[in-house]
Amino acid sequence: MKYAYFFLLIAGSAYLQSCLAECKNPDGQKLTVPAIYPDYTGTVFPANISAPNFIIQEDGERFQTEIGYDNHIKIRLVKNSPQVQIPLKDWDGLLSNARGKTIFFRITILKNGKWTRYADIENRVADSSIDEYLAYRLIYPGYELWNGMGIYQRQLSSYKETAIVENKSLGDKQCLNCHTFSKNSPETMMLHIRGKSGGTIIYRDKNLKKTDTKRPEFKNAGAYASWHPSGRYIAFSLNDVKQLFHIEGKKNIEVFDLASDLAVYDVENNTMITDRSLSGNQYLETFPNWSPDGKTLYYCRANEYVAGEPLDSIRYDLYKISFNPDSLTFGSPVCIYPASRQNKSVSFPRISPDGHYLMFTVSDYGNFSVWHPESDLCLLNLSSKEMRLMDEVNSNETESFHTWSSDGKWFVFSSKRLDGLWARPYFACFDSETGKAGKPFLLPQKDPLFYDTFTKTYNLPELITSPVTIGKDIISAFFR
Amino acid sequence: MKRIVFLTSSGLAILFFILYMSILSHILYYHEQHRLFLFSEAYLINTVNSRGLLEYFTDFMIQFFYFPWLGSLLLSLLLASVYGMIAYSTFRITGKTDFLHFGLLPVIYLFLQTLSVDYKISSIVAWIFSLSIISMAVGLSAGRWKYVAAVSGCLLLLTFISWETVVLAAASISLSSLSAYYFRSLKKKRVLTVGFSAMSVYVCAGIYCFSGSYRVGERYMVLARKSAYERNWNKTAEMTEHYLSSGHKNIVMLYYHNIALFHTGRLGDNLLDIPQTFGVPALCFPWRSNSRDTEFGQDVYYELGHWNAAVRWASEALAIWGETAPCLINLIKCNMEIKREAVARRYVNVLKQSLFYRKTAEYFEKELASIRDEPVADNVQIAHFTNGMDILHELEYLCEHHPENRMAFEYYMVSLLLSNQVLNFAQNLYRMKAFDYRKMPKVYDEALFMCKIMEKEEFDKLGIDVNPKTEDRFKRYYELYKQGNRKGLDREFKNSYWYYIHFVSPYGDKILMWKNTKESQMPLGGLEH
């Protein structure tokens, strides 16, 4: 019996030893970096991002991950599982010490009794922080119908996601869309609620109101919006959206406008104005975006839709028009990128907060680039007029909706690169000196396998400086 | 007391078990197909945040409905325990038994509610939680503390259960206790009489309500879908035929009936055995933005190999019904067909988190290993659009581009017939040569003869012969028709195409020439990829 206890003790301590085993001096080295998912390699992290948990995609029995900078190892995780979940507190400490420095993920794997160390995965921590919150809509990737739907916000320095407003609170499960903020601030925001008793909820100067953007003088209601920097006006596109489905082929759907115009809504006077050059049957105008000084409105324009016309002949150019906020008058439209001449089409123009760059989406035709796998992000330097595809952030799948951070050092965009169906938010740093972006990284999640089982799409990701706290007031305003 | 309660509870459990295993088996199946419990933290957080803790517990229970016997046993025991817990609490409060058995009232009420598939099982779970907490409180504590414990328990329940249920549960115990207290001095002989009378009243009322609430159509519809889902087409045809031939009109049943007729090789011969009063929509649901349709609409497109439409319908079903097993499986199958491996894998990953569909998910996972994520060959130079309203256009396209697709061919032919387009039907019949038909299907022959009479010049160009027996039958039909002998027509020709045109077709009694109005409104193709 004594022997039995003795052997049990030996076996137990051996097991304990193996569980606690970590590697200080590896038996071998590999010159390649290990494969990890999501891809958090060679990127730049904001100084306030939550820990980018990942899974090591290499075989092994035990996995050691050391994270640090220079010669300092600040975090050591040794597990039998390849999942690396970095404690948030340790990660925050690392970020605050490593601002402006390169950090490493040093991975050593025990396989067949031998520890092998891979080449360090290197990332950089930026000096700057990103806006603290990301607002987005979560929906299943359907085409026309919906049931549960909501607009949510995620604190980027943690994994905390809260609902801004969910349609279950609105009775008849209305459609919520187009949440839009002025200068990344939730103090001035709007969103549409479609369906019975729907309307556009506008929050400004601590006041919430519901308005109807479908005015008798216009054929359609307001859709895509952009806040004037003064906070007094909202430029709306008024679209008659249609969709058709392909019988065969990789693309399943085409979304297009039969008609669209632009109008500016005066929040104070509850009036809507337009101009002959922004409305009428001759052209389709959409996706308005104000310049930071509020004197220019950028938008996309195509020739009117003619019944029976092939959909892939509808192509949008990038336009701008001057605006005088005092007299509420517009100048003449000026084409700044005739994409249609190159058989391309522009959508979602977004100007950087310093007014130097304009980021937009380019696809082969149409304006609903979300369903176009070929759609890529493009950058126009407004000073030099140089235009280029942002190859450093684009992929083979859809890159679409994008928003600048309030300081213009970061931007977020939707990409379907993981699987071609679901849009996920990717972030990248931006250097306004060089006009170059860093390698994008996926919104970190507590569970590194989160995106493998999450079947909702992130719609309209918008960076905001602080959380939206008026969710309940939005519901009250809706029922008013 | 113990014996009465035990016997009554056991009797109820056995009775419910038998009912749920037999005539109510569809109820459990329906619930199981509309909920999917996942073993993941994300599911817990999402469910609690969006639907509440009670629904999380309910989903956990419903997953066991996967096995009908287990589901029946579980639901029967839960319902019976409602009575048991009321009786127990009554005894603990009063020290007496309620001989009027008021505890049976909520049981009968809850049971009758379950007769509809739309009833939320979470209500039963809420009752169980409420009664459990109250029973525990009055059972564990002594003296006045039991009431304090019961009230505290109720307050705790209110955090995740509606106050109405908690109040009703407490009221049931109170009513039963009052009754027990009032009849506390009842003599033994009278106990039996009172108890028996009360039970008789409940049983009679229960049977009366049951017969009024039981929905045969719902049962047939759920089971027909089940057998179609299992690809048991003979059973599907049998179920739908049984239901529809008794005079019921139901587009969903007719829709599954038609799919089953094709798979059993009888579509061309037996199409009109059941009156096709809905016309083409009973073959393929048109897109009506109706959330209920999404539950069924995908099935025919999947069978037709019309993958884009199948993906569309399945995606809309996901948006409406959420991550249920049928939605996920449909999406996996469709995306596998169009070689979207990464998308199919996401749905497989979700399905793998369930208890009873894990093996199915693992099967798909193995299948996925042989699929590479590649674009479907874009061999289509001209884009063909569908707006979900013009199924003829889509079927024609499938026939044109996939001439080997027999179901597309038969559905196209039948769609033309049901929409009164006889000449167009005859002109497309040449496609039949691609298949090994031994004889001309009966309905086709009747339509051809009609075409021969009405569009002789065009028909003669086609070089098609009509069976002489069909000509003879038409003479007889025409004779009865001229006489205005509707009864005779009903008796002899109710399943003929001529009868359909004259009396059934929702498109009127006129033969239509080809008019593709929807198509002309759509944009042309010409996509350059």
Side-chain angles (χ1 to χ4, degrees), chain B residues 458-486:
Chain B
E458 290 294 321
F459 183 80
D460 287 345
K461 289 181 196 166
L462 301 173
I464 304 174
D465 293 326
V466 178
N467 190 336
K469 283 183 185 168
T470 305
E471 292 197 34
D472 294 341
R473 284 182 62 237
F474 183 77
K475 280 177 193 162
R476 168 71 180 149
Y477 176 88
Y478 192 58
E479 195 181 306
L480 291 171
Y481 182 73
K482 269 202 308 186
Q483 290 167 3
N485 185 348
R486 182 71 189 266

Side-chain angles (χ1 to χ4, degrees), chain B residues 191-458:
Chain B
V191 163
L192 282 174
T193 319
V194 170
F196 182 75
S197 309
M199 288 232 189
S200 304
V201 170
Y202 298 143
V203 168
C204 292
I207 291 171
Y208 176 77
C209 294
F210 179 85
S211 57
S213 310
Y214 184 63
R215 302 176 186 185
V216 188
E218 222 167 48
R219 175 173 169 76
Y220 273 100
M221 208 148 85
V222 173
L223 294 183
R225 167 125 212 254
K226 181 174 184 263
S227 50
Y229 205 70
E230 292 162 353
R231 303 186 68 77
N232 186 344
W233 301 114
N234 284 320
K235 196 175 175 189
T236 310
E238 189 187 312
M239 298 224 55
T240 50
E241 207 165 318
H242 187 261
Y243 180 75
L244 294 165
S245 57
S246 58
H248 291 102
K249 284 184 181 177
N250 184 313
I251 191 167
V252 179
M253 292 298 268
L254 199 53
Y255 164 84
Y256 281 116
H257 180 69
N258 289 333
I259 300 176
L261 281 183
F262 166 76
H263 281 292
T264 51
R266 297 188 288 138
L267 188 64
D269 287 318
N270 300 98
L271 172 72
L272 301 173
D273 288 359
I274 303 291
Q276 295 283 344
T277 45
F278 297 97
V280 180
L283 291 169
C284 300
F285 280 2
W287 182 253
R288 300 183 298 180
S289 305
N290 181 334
S291 56
R292 197 85 214 184
D293 288 354
T294 59
E295 197 173 357
F296 318 105
Q298 184 260 355
D299 294 347
V300 76
Y301 294 105
Y302 184 80
E303 295 300 324
L304 277 167
H306 188 348
W307 307 124
N308 272 9
V311 168
R312 177 196 179 185
W313 280 83
S315 303
E316 299 286 18
L318 177 75
I320 295 298
W321 304 99
E323 290 165 350
T324 64
C327 279
L328 291 172
I329 290 171
N330 285 340
L331 282 162
I332 292 167
K333 288 188 331 192
C334 293
N335 281 293
M336 279 169 72
E337 292 290 349
I338 56 172
K339 311 271 188 255
R340 287 168 78 170
E341 184 265 344
V343 175
R345 195 172 289 281
R346 295 273 181 274
Y347 294 122
V348 167
N349 290 338
V350 178
L351 199 62
K352 258 174 93 175
Q353 294 177 332
S354 69
L355 184 60
F356 298 115
Y357 289 95
R358 195 180 169 81
K359 280 191 175 171
T360 312
E362 284 168 354
Y363 164 77
F364 284 128
E365 205 168 33
K366 277 184 192 163
E367 295 283 303
L368 278 172
S370 61
I371 296 173
R372 292 271 160 168
D373 208 0
E374 59 186 41
V376 174
D378 258 325
N379 53 353
V380 197
Q381 290 303 311
I382 303 293
H384 286 262
F385 292 117
T386 159
N387 58 6
M389 301 294 289
D390 187 16
I391 188 64
L392 281 173
H393 166 61
E394 292 170 46
L395 290 170
E396 185 191 14
Y397 176 90
L398 289 178
C399 289
E400 203 62 53
H401 290 80
H402 304 280
E404 74 294 345
N405 186 336
R406 186 174 182 138
M407 187 171 180
F409 164 73
E410 289 202 16
Y411 260 57
Y412 183 41
M413 293 296 100
V414 164
S415 299
L416 290 170
L417 290 179
L418 290 185
S419 54
N420 300 12
Q421 299 184 47
V422 177
L423 178 60
N424 203 353
F425 157 79
Q427 286 169 337
N428 275 283
L429 209 55
Y430 71 91
R431 301 178 194 275
M432 200 175 183
K433 287 174 192 161
F435 311 101
D436 57 340
Y437 285 94
R438 288 182 194 159
K439 65 176 187 66
M440 186 66 78
K442 174 181 154 288
V443 178
Y444 291 11
D445 217 35
E446 290 167 352
L448 284 174
F449 185 70
M450 190 172 234
C451 185
K452 187 180 172 181
I453 298 168
M454 304 191 77
E455 300 284 344
K456 188 160 183 358
E457 201 177 315
E458 290 294 321

Side-chain angles (χ1 to χ4, degrees), chain B residues 484-511:
Chain B
N485 185 348
R486 182 71 189 266
K487 278 187 181 171
L489 289 171
D490 282 359
R491 196 172 54 245
E492 294 180 44
F493 293 100
K494 205 169 181 179
N495 63 352
S496 73
Y497 186 63
W498 313 310
Y499 185 93
Y500 171 79
I501 290 288
H502 278 137
F503 304 110
V504 181
S505 171
Y507 308 96
D509 60 357
K510 297 281 184 290
I511 299 297

Side-chain angles (χ1 to χ4, degrees), chain A residues 144 147 245 248 312 419 455, chain B residues 287 289 320 323 386 402 526-527:
Chain A
E144 193 180 323
N147 194 354
F245 293 85
E248 267 189 328
D312 65 347
D419 40 51
T455 57
Chain B
W287 182 253
S289 305
I320 295 298
E323 290 165 350
T386 159
H402 304 280
L527 298 180

Side-chain angles (χ1 to χ4, degrees), chain A residues 129-370:
Chain A
S129 296
I130 195 168
D131 293 333
E132 184 69 10
Y133 284 84
L134 182 74
Y136 44 83
R137 182 172 71 155
L138 288 177
I139 45 167
Y140 283 116
Y143 301 100
E144 193 180 323
L145 301 178
W146 68 87
N147 194 354
M149 176 194 289
I151 296 174
Y152 301 86
Q153 56 192 347
R154 160 78 189 268
Q155 189 178 28
L156 293 178
S157 57
S158 73
Y159 305 109
K160 198 177 169 191
E161 182 189 76
T162 49
I164 295 175
V165 58
E166 289 174 316
N167 68 347
K168 68 177 181 184
S169 317
L170 305 174
D172 269 351
K173 294 202 170 172
Q174 275 83 353
C175 174
L176 304 163
N177 58 24
C178 293
H179 50 280
T180 309
F181 303 89
S182 173
K183 294 191 278 192
N184 304 78
S185 167
E187 295 301 313
T188 311
M189 64 170 286
M190 58 136 283
L191 64 94
H192 297 304
I193 301 174
R194 312 280 190 200
K196 199 177 160 191
S197 315
T200 299
I201 304 286
I202 293 172
Y203 180 63
R204 179 180 171 252
D205 296 337
K206 311 272 180 212
N207 286 318
L208 250 176
K209 70 170 181 177
K210 185 169 84 169
T211 189
D212 186 3
T213 55
K214 171 75 188 78
R215 302 297 165 101
E217 61 270 33
F218 298 105
K219 283 180 193 164
N220 302 298
Y224 308 110
S226 174
W227 278 93
H228 189 268
S230 68
R232 179 172 169 178
Y233 307 107
I234 307 173
F236 280 110
S237 65
L238 316 162
N239 311 61
D240 180 7
V241 184
K242 297 280 177 237
Q243 53 184 25
L244 286 173
F245 293 85
H246 289 267
I247 295 182
E248 267 189 328
K250 194 184 180 189
K251 262 182 213 167
N252 202 0
I253 188 171
E254 293 294 341
V255 182
F256 61 102
D257 290 340
L258 274 184
S260 65
D261 293 319
L262 294 184
V264 172
Y265 174 69
D266 184 340
V267 181
E268 273 179 25
N269 296 326
N270 193 28
T271 54
M272 219 154 175
I273 58 149
T274 187
D275 186 85
R276 268 195 301 176
S277 52
L278 293 173
S279 60
N281 294 332
Q282 201 178 350
Y283 300 108
L284 303 168
E285 295 91 354
T286 190
F287 299 131
N289 189 247
W290 293 104
S291 61
D293 62 6
K295 291 177 179 169
T296 311
L297 182 67
Y298 290 84
Y299 62 101
C300 302
R301 189 176 98 171
N303 289 330
E304 69 164 329
Y305 172 76
V306 180
E309 179 184 15
L311 288 183
D312 65 347
S313 67
I314 305 172
R315 294 193 173 92
Y316 288 77
D317 298 321
L318 188 57
Y319 272 76
K320 70 174 181 180
I321 190 168
S322 58
F323 175 69
N324 184 336
D326 300 323
S327 61
L328 293 180
T329 51
F330 292 92
S332 301
V334 178
C335 179
I336 54 169
Y337 173 46
S340 59
R341 283 193 211 156
Q342 296 164 15
N343 286 339
K344 294 287 175 191
S345 189
V346 174
S347 40
F348 300 121
R350 288 290 180 112
I351 198 159
S352 63
D354 60 9
H356 292 153
Y357 294 94
L358 201 149
M359 199 183 290
F360 54 94
T361 305
V362 163
S363 52
D364 286 348
Y365 61 93
N367 71 47
F368 210 76
S369 50
V370 180

